[in-house]
Amino acid sequence: MSNEAIAQQLEELADLSDFIGDSPFKSRAYRQAARVLESLQTPIETIAEGGKQALEKIPGIGEAIAEKILAYLQTGTIPKREQLLQTVPRGILEVMAVPGIGAKTARQLYEQLGVHDLESLRSALLSGVVDNLPNFGAQKRERLLHLIELKHKSQRRTPLGFALNRGRELLQVIEQLEGVERALLGGSVRRMQEDVGDLDYLVASTQPERVVQAFVRLPVISAVYSQGARRAQAFLSDGVQVDLKIVPPAHWGAGVNYITGSKAHSIRLRQRALERGLKLNEYGVWRGTECIAAETEEAVYAALGLPWIPPPLREDTGEIEAAERGQLPTLVQLSQVRGDLQSHSNWSDGLNTLEELAKAARALGYEYLAITDHAHMFGGDPITAFEQRRRAIEQLNEQLGGRPYLINALEVNILEDGTLLAPERMLRVAELVLAGLHSEHGQPREQMTERLIRALEHPAVDILAHPTGRRYGKRPANEADWERVFERARELGKAVEINGYPTRMDPPTPIARLLVQCGAWISLGTDTHAVRDLHAMELAVGLAQRGWATPERVLNTRPLTELLNWLRERRHR
Ligand code: DGT
Ligand code: CA
Ligand code: CA
Ligand code: ZN
């Protein structure tokens, strides 16, 4: 229960009082108290330990509000708010939270048009029935419609690969704002979650209001949804939601920990603090009114008796227990990746030549790059074309001195029955073969399991590519008995891919975790179809980290000679 959460309940109580036409003095007092709480660093629970009198000593908090806070701390809600919600539809709260909709407008909308939540507000604005209301001009309708459409769009989730780029651009802009000492992009993006709801920024500043003012005026901000003394919520023009939160520089670490989440992880940390007679909030770890850790995340975790936990693990899926036992995994890092094991050139459906790919891989410092053109996309006589590509690769390897070494590889489709769509001769000549699903998705689980296992068992296959076949906005993950599939890969000494292509990110976190637990080799691939896609290795690594992967079983942390040995070993089996 954060100070901010109570502040929000008080705001809502003020809205509800206004809506039913209660005394404006009351709602003004609630709003004032909310602002005070928003800026209060000490956990309100700590102050409440001194009883009602202690709360009343806070400027802006009188007896009636002190009682409400105490009730909230005991029951998790303010009774008066609950009581009003018996007579007013709950959705009125979100209607009144729309900037520009006060009590009068909300009441008109409700009584005359039945607007009782954001969806019905959206319909009323779209259909134009609002024009019948007094004092509801076209300008007001357009302004609200713009806002509501952005809010509506913001419900969609964005693939990490896109959000990360947008988020970093905006981070640079925020860092330049007057009064900003430090800034960080937190939330699900920092945890490298495969898709993200919105962008969450933390800023360290001694002038929070100045930062909020500058932030809401940024040209990239299309609409501001709400703003407070140390926070703001706004939308970019395509409806991506941006949350900003500001803490004093000395409280940076606690703020970072808070903004990074996940909520489930934060809840566990708060519980842990309580068990130790401490409190954790966005400003620090507190013993009574004394803040004992705040400046760095390490200090916050240390105060709770834990080592620092890498953000991709912060999902309350065992990381706190592992940290407690000193058994956190040493996660694979991007800097350890020596090459990319999935890329497509213009010999199949890629945009770039072998040379362009090779040079881009060299610029990334790679030792090797697997050119995994689709076996069924070689034009003319496929065997001849494949042979031509082999020679082109050999020439380039000579020309570039093997930096990076281009691996003469293939990606082959797994057919409905688990056989491969490629001539045996191509499969024999290729140095490395990926097998992947590209058609007949959505088979029953048992059939899919057999199909994938059969493909893995083909002697030429080295790596099972993008195992679940999911694509954002296109199709969900296929179902299969993943433990069985991965176990078979492990027995055969083969690898399963973690694919970082922005719209794939395959397998999703829980299945990536199973893969790591099973102990099969893991291959990181970007599925590059244009040189810029090579940067998606960062996403593949992030997903591997979310699966708790350590470098030992990640194939492409191996030097080239070891990788080639690995390939030859299985060829000779
Ligand atoms: P998303 O945006 O749905 O992809 O997921 P997150 O994890 O970014 O969630 P979001 O944006 O709602 O919140 C960002 C961070 O702020 C979250 O990871 C933890 C923190 N946070 C937000 N609301 C609460 C809350 O009610 N309690 C606590 N403890 N932390 C919160
Ligand atoms: Ca977020
Ligand atoms: Ca957020
Ligand atoms: Zn392709």
Side-chain angles (χ1 to χ4, degrees), residues 95 168 176 325 424 467 488:
V95 173
R168 281 178 179 154
Q176 299 306 314
R325 292 192 307 264
E424 282 294 324
R488 192 72 188 119

Side-chain angles (χ1 to χ4, degrees), residues 1-12 37-38 44 72 76 78 81 258 270 282:
M1 285 177 198
S2 64
N3 298 356
E4 216 175 83
I6 309 187
Q8 189 181 341
Q9 288 235 337
L10 285 167
E11 278 296 343
E12 291 176 352
L37 280 168
E38 239 182 66
I44 191 73
Y72 175 92
I78 298 174
R81 177 177 169 278
Y258 171 84
R270 282 175 190 228
E282 61 267 49

Side-chain angles (χ1 to χ4, degrees), residues 268-430:
R268 287 291 307 278
L269 292 184
R270 282 175 190 228
Q271 280 170 349
R272 201 177 160 86
L274 289 178
E275 285 160 16
R276 281 154 202 256
L278 305 170
K279 294 201 177 74
L280 169 68
N281 69 5
E282 61 267 49
Y283 295 105
V285 181
W286 300 76
R287 179 177 289 123
T289 52
E290 184 201 357
C291 184
I292 62 164
E295 211 160 340
T296 65
E297 273 203 311
E298 283 81 357
V300 169
Y301 281 104
L304 302 176
L306 294 172
W308 181 82
I309 299 177
L313 302 184
R314 299 184 195 173
E315 300 291 347
D316 188 22
T317 51
E319 75 281 8
I320 291 173
E321 291 76 5
E324 218 164 31
R325 292 192 307 264
Q327 288 173 356
L328 282 174
T330 309
L331 299 176
V332 61
Q333 301 296 323
L334 181 59
S335 59
Q336 296 169 323
V337 174
R338 296 174 188 253
D340 193 330
L341 294 177
Q342 182 166 186
S343 75
H344 302 256
S345 77
N346 59 1
W347 282 89
S348 64
D349 59 346
L351 289 180
N352 294 98
T353 62
L354 293 172
E355 185 168 1
E356 286 162 347
L357 285 171
K359 289 192 168 154
R362 176 190 273 190
L364 291 175
Y366 281 161
E367 282 179 37
Y368 47 85
L369 175 68
I371 310 286
T372 55
D373 284 311
H374 300 274
H376 68 282
M377 289 188 192
F378 282 91
D381 168 30
I383 305 257
T384 312
F386 179 60
E387 179 55 22
Q388 282 167 349
R389 195 198 68 162
R390 187 184 66 76
R391 264 182 272 140
I393 285 177
E394 261 175 22
Q395 262 172 22
L396 260 177
N397 277 339
E398 244 169 63
Q399 201 181 309
L400 299 175
R403 287 186 318 116
Y405 176 77
L406 299 183
I407 301 173
N408 179 32
L410 278 178
E411 180 179 12
V412 301
N413 289 6
I414 302 172
L415 298 175
E416 205 170 355
D417 60 355
T419 57
L420 304 180
L421 178 60
E424 282 294 324
R425 218 170 112 206
M426 267 164 90
L427 292 173
R428 266 199 309 276
V429 173

